[in-house]
Amino acid sequence: MPTAPWMKGPLLVPSDKVLDFSQLRKKNNLNKGNTTTTTTTKDERIDRSLTDKISGRRGKQVMKKIVQSVTKLHRFRNLEEPQSVKIKDLFSLEKTQNGVEEMEFKIPLEQVLDDGNVKFGSKMPWAKADRVVIRRLKKEKVKTAAEMRLPELVLKSLRSDAAKMKKWVKVKKAGVTQAVVDEIKNIWRNNELVMVKFDVPLCLNMDRALEILEVKTGGLVVWSNKDSHVVYRGCEDELNFFQETDSSGASLGKFEDDITTSNTGSHIVTMSENGGVEDFLHTCMDERLDLPSVNGTLFEREADRLLDGLGPRFVDWWRPKPLPVDADMLPEVVPGFKTPLRRCPPNVRLKLADDELTYLRKLARPLPTHFALGRNTKLQGLAAAIITLWEKSLIVKIAVKFGIPNTNSEQMACELKHLTGGVLLLRNKFYIIIYRGKDFLPVEVANLVVDRETELQRCQLLEEGARWNAIGSSSVINESVSATIPSGTFLEFRDIQTKYGHLNNDRRETDIQIEAEKEKLEKEMRKQDHKLLLLKRKIERSARELSKLNSAWKISEKDNDQELITEEERNCLQKMGLRTDKTLVLGRRGVFDGVIGSMHQHWKHREVVKVITMQKSFSQIMNTAALLEIESGGILIAVEKLQKGHAIILFRGKNYRRPLKPLPDNLLTKRAALQRSLEMQKIGSLKFFAYQRERAISNLNIRLRSLLRKSEEVAF
């Protein structure tokens, strides 16, 4: 057997396994008249189904055809060998005549039908099992009133007309007010359809907007799109027309026939000769009433049961039901209203901890809204309703109405907290959540506590009266008995309570207010004194740093032997300096060694240097010019006012020689100059704030003295 070049030795193969390449396969000649047929055995015809060319090299269809061919081949062989072993598994062992075990392959894709035909399955044996997918159930669409009452053709026509409408009535934040209802009814006089577009908050819940619109206008919503509803005037106008024509009887018969033969979806109205019209009117009116739904959820029914008896409901509520109580419809003033009595249980901390506050806020999130409020003051009726609700619920949730001008949730919360004595959990522009507190007592329990205290006081009075009667009836009456000291008696307690107790008189309330204001002023004064002390310490620290930097800066002595220049030369040099474009700008660092070095660099190429400074005060500008003249050794020509600042023009002199060290040692470096500038700015700001604190303290002293004079006047 020939071997490949990379193989080390010859390939030893049995003689019966060696391929014979001498007889090549002959191709069929398909030319005209020339056809060659090859004799094939039965086995070769069977195996050809596996070797025939298949369109496509991969894919499910190709693999399916291969599997079907294998299955057919196995079925044909079983027909030729009737005594074959039954196969129980996909892979089974079969013994041949030579005793060699062979693996038999079967693919269970075929299915034998009742009529004897064979059907192949659609899945491969190696295919994965189907995943079980539980689809989310679609929400059942609830039929609207228009779909139930109007015929399908009429509804379709109305919807096609509604889709073409381009004018609408705007519903603002206040909701479907009476003005909106009147505008809709005015349009209904000429048109049967009105488009209504909703603003926040009703546009967030269009289902609720549909209910409110149908209840208040009496129409039927036939078409909806995003934040718009189209309302059909419906049978309401027909009812009005029927009531107007009932007495005359002109069009009664025709209207009865129309109603009798009309089928409104799920409601078929039939009218008899006697009383049919009245039954129809009662049916329509019952459908118009916004009665509580018996088919509501358990959450809605329980919330309605909780809010029943507290007041009228807020119909324009923009969130899902249940409807909250309209707090604006509650009375502004309740006669005899008092803040409820509170008693904290023993060994209980009255103030809420952080974890308790977090827990109560989480508890309040899923609760329904109990009240809807749009009024800032006069909330005694709402406070009484809250106290009643607290007997069933720990937390009261109040929503602030939209679209009402000048609503102030902070003022609402403060007044409710003052009237009820509760604990404010949350307040923003949307909600006010109030907790009843750990010391809350229901009305019945509070009445029992008050009755018990009254009974104890009555018993003390009886004991005191019996004591004085016993003393008066004593036979021995002397000076010591008559001068009995009333210490420890109830009379002494009552006198002390009358004299020093917190009584509800005008003088005591005034004294309390004055004391509170005095304490507030003293606290503010202590705060301002502390801040002023801190500012003074910072000023001292900054002054020390500034003195250190100033001590490192020594000004050179002025040379008395200076060059003299004439007035003409001065004018010429001034013009030269103003015309030059090469300038030197002084920043916040002022004059330091780098500035002098830059001036000498300018004088290396030209006679005059122009220095621009941004200082505002003219005295500071002249001091800077004198300092530059002394440190550089030049001659000051002029100081001119420019648009950007002031220009200091310096002449180098006729006998100028460049110094060996252009940077002087007696001036500050660039970094030290910046630090000095920062310290000067810092100390200026600190002095300004210290002056403000001193003025605030003086004003507080004046207010405190006037308050003391006022308290003395009240005492007299």
Side-chain angles (χ1 to χ4, degrees):
M1 185 70 183
T3 58
W6 57 83
M7 299 184 68
K8 295 181 179 180
L11 182 62
L12 300 179
V13 182
S15 60
D16 57 343
K17 298 295 184 180
V18 177
L19 298 177
D20 186 8
F21 294 100
S22 61
Q23 296 180 0
L24 298 176
R25 184 180 177 184
K26 296 181 181 180
K27 296 184 179 179
N28 295 332
N29 189 6
L30 300 179
N31 295 333
K32 296 181 180 179
N34 296 328
T35 57
T36 59
T37 59
T38 59
T39 60
T40 58
T41 62
K42 190 175 182 180
D43 293 338
E44 290 178 352
R45 287 199 306 270
I46 295 172
D47 294 340
R48 187 176 296 173
S49 61
L50 291 177
T51 60
D52 285 344
K53 184 179 179 182
I54 300 174
S55 60
R57 296 181 178 273
R58 57 174 67 95
K60 292 183 179 180
Q61 297 296 331
V62 176
M63 298 301 297
K64 185 177 178 182
K65 290 180 180 180
I66 293 173
V67 172
Q68 290 176 359
S69 301
V70 172
T71 308
K72 288 180 181 179
L73 179 62
H74 179 71
R75 186 171 65 252
F76 293 152
R77 286 183 177 177
N78 287 342
L79 294 175
E80 294 178 359
E81 301 176 2
Q83 296 180 356
S84 60
V85 181
K86 294 183 179 180
I87 301 173
K88 296 182 180 180
D89 302 326
L90 291 177
F91 300 98
S92 61
L93 296 176
E94 183 180 10
K95 289 186 178 181
T96 60
Q97 295 178 358
N98 299 329
V100 181
E101 293 182 352
E102 294 182 355
M103 183 70 69
E104 185 174 3
F105 178 70
K106 180 181 179 182
I107 300 179
L109 285 179
E110 56 184 6
Q111 297 178 2
V112 181
L113 302 178
D114 296 338
D115 54 358
N117 297 327
V118 178
K119 179 183 178 182
F120 293 94
S122 60
K123 294 183 180 179
M124 300 294 108
W126 52 84
K128 294 182 179 180
D130 293 339
R131 292 187 301 173
V132 179
V133 179
I134 301 175
R135 295 186 177 274
R136 183 180 297 175
L137 297 177
K138 291 185 178 180
K139 186 178 179 181
E140 295 183 1
K141 184 179 179 181
V142 181
K143 288 188 176 182
T144 61
E147 293 175 352
M148 292 189 296
R149 296 184 184 182
L150 297 177
E152 185 177 357
L153 295 176
V154 176
L155 183 60
K156 186 176 181 180
S157 175
L158 291 174
R159 285 178 176 175
S160 63
D161 294 340
K164 301 175 184 178
M165 298 183 68
K166 295 183 179 180
K167 294 183 179 180
W168 60 79
V169 177
K170 187 70 173 179
V171 176
K172 299 181 180 179
K173 292 183 179 180
V176 186
T177 58
Q178 187 60 37
V180 175
V181 175
D182 295 341
E183 187 176 358
I184 291 172
K185 291 186 177 180
N186 289 334
I187 298 175
W188 273 349
R189 294 178 181 177
N190 300 324
N191 300 320
E192 60 182 3
L193 294 177
V194 177
M195 178 179 282
V196 183
K197 182 171 281 192
F198 291 88
D199 197 356
V200 176
L202 278 176
C203 67
L204 303 177
N205 190 354
M206 293 302 291
D207 293 338
R208 182 61 195 151
L210 185 145
E211 295 178 8
I212 296 173
L213 196 61
E214 288 184 346
V215 169
K216 287 198 171 185
T217 61
L220 298 174
V221 176
V222 296
W223 186 76
S224 301
N225 183 22
K226 293 182 179 180
D227 58 347
S228 302
H229 285 316
V230 176
V231 192
Y232 173 55
R233 58 190 177 190
C235 65
E236 190 70 23
D237 291 341
E238 295 175 1
L239 287 177
N240 296 335
F241 174 78
F242 180 77
Q243 291 174 358
E244 292 173 359
T245 58
D246 189 12
S247 58
S248 62
S251 60
L252 182 59
K254 182 179 179 181
F255 186 66
E256 286 182 358
D257 295 337
D258 294 340
I259 295 176
T260 304
T261 57
S262 64
N263 182 1
T264 60
S266 61
H267 298 281
I268 299 176
V269 182
T270 58
M271 298 172 56
S272 60
E273 295 180 358
N274 298 325
V277 176
E278 296 180 358
D279 295 338
F280 173 75
L281 291 176
H282 288 300
T283 303
C284 289
M285 294 304 295
D286 290 340
E287 291 175 353
R288 291 294 179 191
L289 292 177
D290 189 17
L291 297 176
S293 177
V294 180
N295 298 326
T297 61
L298 180 61
F299 177 78
E300 295 178 5
R301 294 200 300 269
E302 288 297 321
D304 289 333
R305 185 180 61 83
L306 185 68
L307 298 177
D308 284 342
L310 296 180
R313 300 299 181 88
F314 182 54
V315 182
D316 291 329
W317 179 239
W318 54 89
R319 294 191 180 276
K321 292 183 179 180
L323 301 179
V325 177
D326 192 352
D328 294 341
M329 300 296 292
L330 298 176
E332 297 180 354
V333 179
V334 177
F337 176 80
K338 294 182 180 179
T339 303
L341 179 67
R342 291 180 175 270
R343 291 287 187 274
C344 187
N347 301 326
V348 174
R349 183 183 178 185
L350 183 60
K351 188 177 179 180
L352 290 176
D354 292 341
D355 55 346
E356 294 175 340
L357 182 63
T358 304
Y359 171 75
L360 289 173
R361 284 179 178 174
K362 289 182 179 179
L363 186 65
R365 183 174 297 174
L367 289 180
T369 305
H370 302 123
F371 299 95
L373 180 61
R375 193 169 62 211
N376 293 337
T377 57
K378 298 181 180 180
L379 305 176
Q380 287 189 2
L382 176 58
I386 289 173
I387 294 170
T388 305
L389 183 59
W390 271 343
E391 297 181 1
K392 302 177 183 178
S393 175
L394 296 174
I395 299 170
V396 168
K397 197 172 181 181
I398 305 169
V400 181
K401 291 183 180 179
F402 280 83
I404 298 179
N406 302 326
T407 53
N408 190 347
S409 60
E410 184 177 1
Q411 187 176 358
M412 297 175 186
C414 289
E415 183 163 355
L416 288 175
K417 185 178 178 182
H418 173 71
L419 291 174
T420 60
V423 180
L424 185 64
L425 296 180
L426 178 67
R427 181 200 63 79
N428 52 31
K429 63 180 181 179
F430 302 110
Y431 286 103
I432 299 173
I433 302 176
I434 304 177
Y435 171 55
R436 69 181 185 182
K438 300 178 182 178
D439 55 349
F440 174 76
L441 295 177
V443 178
E444 297 180 357
V445 179
N447 292 335
L448 291 176
V449 171
V450 172
D451 294 341
R452 181 62 176 170
E453 290 180 352
T454 305
E455 184 67 20
L456 289 175
Q457 187 175 6
R458 189 179 64 82
C459 292
Q460 289 177 353
L461 290 174
L462 290 176
E463 291 178 359
E464 187 68 17
R467 179 175 176 274
W468 282 106
N469 291 333
I471 293 174
S473 61
S474 177
S475 58
V476 180
I477 301 174
N478 50 21
E479 296 180 359
S480 60
V481 175
S482 60
T484 303
I485 299 175
S487 60
T489 62
F490 180 72
L491 182 62
E492 181 187 13
F493 169 73
R494 190 171 58 184
D495 292 342
I496 293 173
Q497 191 176 15
T498 304
K499 187 175 181 181
Y500 300 104
H502 297 281
L503 303 179
N504 295 327
N505 51 13
D506 298 338
R507 180 176 175 182
R508 183 61 186 173
E509 290 180 358
T510 305
D511 293 342
I512 291 173
Q513 293 177 359
I514 292 174
E515 289 294 331
E517 187 68 22
K518 180 181 176 182
E519 183 66 26
K520 183 178 178 181
L521 290 175
E522 290 177 352
K523 182 179 179 180
E524 184 67 23
M525 190 179 296
R526 289 193 297 269
K527 183 178 178 181
Q528 295 292 339
D529 287 335
H530 179 67
K531 290 184 177 181
L532 181 60
L533 180 62
L534 295 178
L535 286 174
K536 287 182 177 180
R537 290 178 181 175
K538 291 181 180 180
I539 290 172
E540 292 176 0
R541 193 182 306 116
S542 182
R544 288 195 297 269
E545 295 291 334
L546 187 60
S547 63
K548 290 180 183 179
L549 294 172
N550 289 332
S551 62
W553 181 17
K554 297 179 182 179
I555 303 175
S556 302
E557 295 181 359
K558 186 175 183 181
D559 189 6
N560 295 326
D561 187 11
Q562 286 186 343
E563 295 183 10
L564 299 176
I565 57 175
T566 62
E567 192 67 27
E568 295 178 356
E569 293 175 342
R570 186 180 296 275
N571 294 333
C572 181
L573 292 172
Q574 180 180 359
K575 292 179 181 179
M576 289 173 58
L578 292 175
R579 282 198 303 267
T580 182
D581 296 333
K582 305 296 182 180
T583 59
L584 180 64
V585 181
L586 284 181
R588 64 179 302 169
R589 294 177 177 85
V591 180
F592 60 97
D593 55 359
V595 175
I596 305 301
S598 299
M599 290 177 65
H600 286 294
Q601 190 68 21
H602 274 265
W603 281 338
K604 183 179 178 181
H605 303 284
R606 57 189 66 85
E607 294 180 340
V608 179
V609 62
K610 181 166 65 174
V611 182
I612 304 297
T613 179
M614 302 297 177
Q615 295 174 340
K616 303 296 181 182
S617 176
F618 188 73
S619 60
Q620 293 180 354
I621 295 170
M622 295 305 298
N623 292 335
T624 302
L627 184 60
L628 289 173
E629 184 181 13
I630 294 171
E631 296 296 339
S632 63
I635 301 173
L636 179 63
I637 300 299
V639 177
E640 295 292 336
K641 178 73 170 66
L642 301 179
Q643 186 176 2
K644 296 182 179 180
H646 287 79
I648 303 173
I649 302 174
L650 295 167
F651 175 53
R652 67 181 182 180
K654 300 176 183 178
N655 301 324
Y656 172 74
R657 289 184 180 181
R658 184 175 175 81
L660 298 176
K661 293 179 63 176
L663 297 179
D665 298 334
N666 60 329
L667 296 179
L668 296 176
T669 61
K670 186 176 181 180
R671 179 174 296 186
L674 178 61
Q675 187 65 25
R676 177 177 176 273
S677 175
L678 292 175
E679 291 296 336
M680 290 178 64
Q681 182 182 4
K682 181 179 179 181
I683 198 171
S685 300
L686 291 174
K687 286 181 179 180
F688 172 74
F689 288 120
Y691 173 71
Q692 284 188 337
R693 299 296 178 195
E694 290 175 355
R695 290 196 60 181
I697 291 172
S698 63
N699 293 335
L700 290 174
N701 281 325
I702 294 172
R703 291 175 60 187
L704 186 59
R705 286 196 295 269
S706 64
L707 193 63
L708 291 175
R709 287 196 299 270
K710 184 178 179 180
S711 63
E712 291 176 359
E713 292 175 359
V714 172
F716 285 110

